[in-house]
């Protein structure tokens, strides 16, 4: 379909603002600009409880924010990794989204402030993400988490980390992850039709993605690692991945990559739900104030998550 009128209006506002693209800023300036944008585009909901923790990461301590939607003693959990090209983004930029997911799904959401590039190059973020899930599983009782009902999720670069963590957990034989939710994920570095078609003028650009890649990866050799590009996870191991929910946006250069990854999982026999939101742009889940479809998409994802938790609970009886 055509670009959604609300998305068009938002892109026009971005254009009128005439701010320089992220790749023309310093890393600290880019982080501040992204945080400012997210604060304008989202309105966090009230939630039963939040708690900030600090845990040991791969090389440095990392922060975790725990969102609890109710006073139930034990709840399923969703470990969330924010987007931002592995360079920008933090607990605050995705605070509204994590609150909404917790409220709509009824599960605890643990948002992970993994180490960012270029200060921490690949695979630092991957290892931080893995250790966060391992920590949650290892401390499930104290955290009020059902250890048999742990899912992972993330948007864009965070979606990349979420699925890579599933692969790594299989490689290392722990922890157990029952579900993966990937929102317009980065799945590889090969050019696709959507990359060329929507790589200019639709918020996320080719030049910004190139800048993210340069900050995150040590060299082009890293693009050949399945820990950086899940599209190249060996077929023999893809079938071991947990069930998946993959969401893309039609006017997103990453759209085809997400769809291709969904088909890869399905071909390997992994139960996978794929949905593409027509007329939407990259990052739309963190644009809930101007985009009505953002709110709808969050509810749809939460509904799929609740359903998966219910299936897990029924199978364990």
């Amino acid at each position: 379909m055509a670009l959604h009128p609300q998305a068009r209006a938002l892109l026009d506002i971005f254009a009128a603002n005439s701010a320089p693209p992220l790749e023309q800023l310093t890393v600290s300036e880019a982080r501040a600009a992204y945080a400012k944008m997210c604060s304008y585009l989202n309105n966090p909901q009230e939630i039963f409880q939040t708690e900030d923790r600090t845990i040991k990461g791969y090389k440095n301590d990392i922060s975790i924010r725990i969102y609890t939607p109710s006073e139930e003693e034990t709840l399923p959990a969703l470990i969330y990794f924010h987007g931002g090209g592995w360079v920008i983004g933090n607990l605050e930029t995705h605070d509204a989204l994590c609150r909404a997911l917790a409220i709509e799904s009824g599960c605890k959401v643990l948002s992970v402030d993994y180490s960012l590039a270029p200060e921490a190059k690949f695979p630092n973020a991957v290892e931080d993400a893995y250790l966060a899930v391992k920590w949650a599983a290892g401390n499930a009782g104290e955290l009020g988490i059902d250890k048999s009902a742990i899912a992972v999720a993330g948007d864009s670069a965070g979606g990349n980390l979420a699925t890579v963590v599933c692969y790594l957990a299989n490689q290392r034989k722990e922890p157990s992850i029952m579900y993966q939710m990937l929102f317009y994920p980065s799945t590889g570095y090969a050019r696709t039709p959507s990359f060329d078609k929507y790589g200019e003028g639709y918020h996320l650009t080719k030049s910004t993605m190139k800048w993210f890649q340069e900050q995150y990866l040590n060299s082009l050799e890293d693009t050949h690692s399945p820990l950086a590009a899940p599209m190249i996870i060996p077929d023999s191991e893809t079938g071991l991945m947990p069930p998946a929910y993959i969401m893309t946006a039609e006017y997103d250069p990453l759209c085809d990559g997400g769809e291709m990854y969904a088909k890869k999982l399905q071909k390997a026999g992994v139960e996978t739900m794929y949905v593409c939101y027509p007329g939407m742009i990259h990052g739309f889940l963190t644009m809930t104030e101007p985009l009505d479809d953002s709110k709808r998409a969050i509810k749809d994802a939460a509904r799929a998550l609740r359903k998966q938790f219910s299936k897990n609970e029924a199978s364990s009886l």
Side-chain angles (χ1 to χ4, degrees), residues 8-315:
R8 177 75 273 166
L10 182 59
L11 291 175
D12 288 344
I13 291 173
F14 289 157
N17 188 40
S18 64
L22 295 182
E23 62 272 20
Q24 293 181 15
L25 304 174
T26 65
V27 170
S28 60
E29 289 171 341
R31 289 171 182 163
Y34 181 61
K36 184 176 182 181
M37 182 193 75
C38 289
S39 71
Y40 284 144
L41 299 180
N42 297 278
N43 184 24
Q45 302 176 61
E46 290 294 327
I47 194 169
F48 177 71
Q49 181 180 312
T50 64
E51 178 187 4
D52 286 356
R53 296 273 193 109
T54 300
I55 68 169
K56 185 173 178 57
Y58 181 50
K59 292 186 176 179
N60 298 295
D61 289 347
I62 57 175
S63 297
I64 303 279
R65 180 168 295 167
I66 305 170
Y67 299 85
T68 303
S70 70
E71 57 187 2
E72 288 188 45
E73 289 187 7
T74 303
L75 291 168
L78 180 70
I79 317 300
Y80 196 89
F81 307 108
H82 67 76
W86 309 276
V87 179
I88 59 178
N90 54 39
L91 298 182
E92 301 305 328
T93 59
H94 286 64
D95 180 67
L97 174 56
C98 288
R99 286 170 181 263
L101 285 170
I103 292 168
E104 295 292 339
S105 69
C107 76
K108 283 181 182 278
V109 173
L110 283 66
S111 182
V112 181
D113 203 15
Y114 55 87
S115 300
L116 297 177
E119 298 90 340
K121 293 275 193 177
F122 172 82
N124 280 266
V126 174
E127 295 291 352
D128 278 349
Y130 171 78
L131 288 172
V133 180
K134 187 177 178 181
W135 174 82
N139 294 276
E142 186 262 326
L143 294 170
I145 288 173
D146 179 354
K147 190 175 181 178
S148 69
I150 294 178
V152 295
D155 59 296
S156 195
N160 170 282
L161 293 176
T163 196
V164 163
V165 162
C166 294
Y167 170 68
L168 206 52
N170 286 335
Q171 293 282 300
R172 297 176 179 176
K173 311 301 182 187
E174 64 171 342
S176 177
I177 300 172
M178 58 152 288
Y179 199 47
Q180 54 177 325
M181 304 194 79
L182 317 178
F183 305 138
Y184 32 84
S186 172
T187 61
Y189 297 95
R191 293 179 72 118
T192 64
S194 67
F195 179 89
D196 290 323
K197 190 173 183 179
Y198 303 121
E200 298 293 339
Y202 296 96
H203 185 52
L204 179 63
T205 67
K206 296 176 185 178
S207 57
T208 300
M209 287 185 281
K210 182 176 184 292
W211 182 71
F212 284 149
Q213 179 179 329
E214 291 170 347
Q215 305 307 307
Y216 181 52
L217 302 179
N218 301 283
S219 69
L220 284 176
E221 289 184 10
D222 288 341
T223 63
H224 302 298
S225 168
L227 295 182
M231 271 302 300
I232 59 175
I233 291 174
D235 291 341
S236 60
E237 298 179 60
T238 301
L240 302 175
M241 299 285 274
Y245 178 93
I246 299 180
M247 174 194 297
T248 60
E250 181 184 6
Y251 284 78
D252 181 353
L254 299 186
C255 183
D256 288 347
E259 182 178 10
M260 289 166 60
Y261 189 57
K263 290 179 177 177
K264 176 182 175 72
L265 291 171
Q266 290 167 342
K267 184 179 179 180
V270 177
E271 179 187 344
T272 302
M273 177 183 292
Y274 172 72
V275 56
C276 178
Y277 280 81
M280 286 294 105
I281 59 175
H282 186 81
F284 77 103
L285 289 183
T286 51
M287 303 171 179
T288 52
E289 289 305 289
L291 302 178
D292 291 336
D293 275 3
S294 175
K295 303 180 186 72
R296 181 170 67 87
I298 293 170
K299 289 180 182 293
D300 289 346
R303 188 179 303 115
L305 184 59
R306 286 198 309 270
K307 182 178 179 181
Q308 195 67 28
F309 283 140
S310 295
K311 288 172 62 176
N312 180 74
E313 183 179 5
S315 66

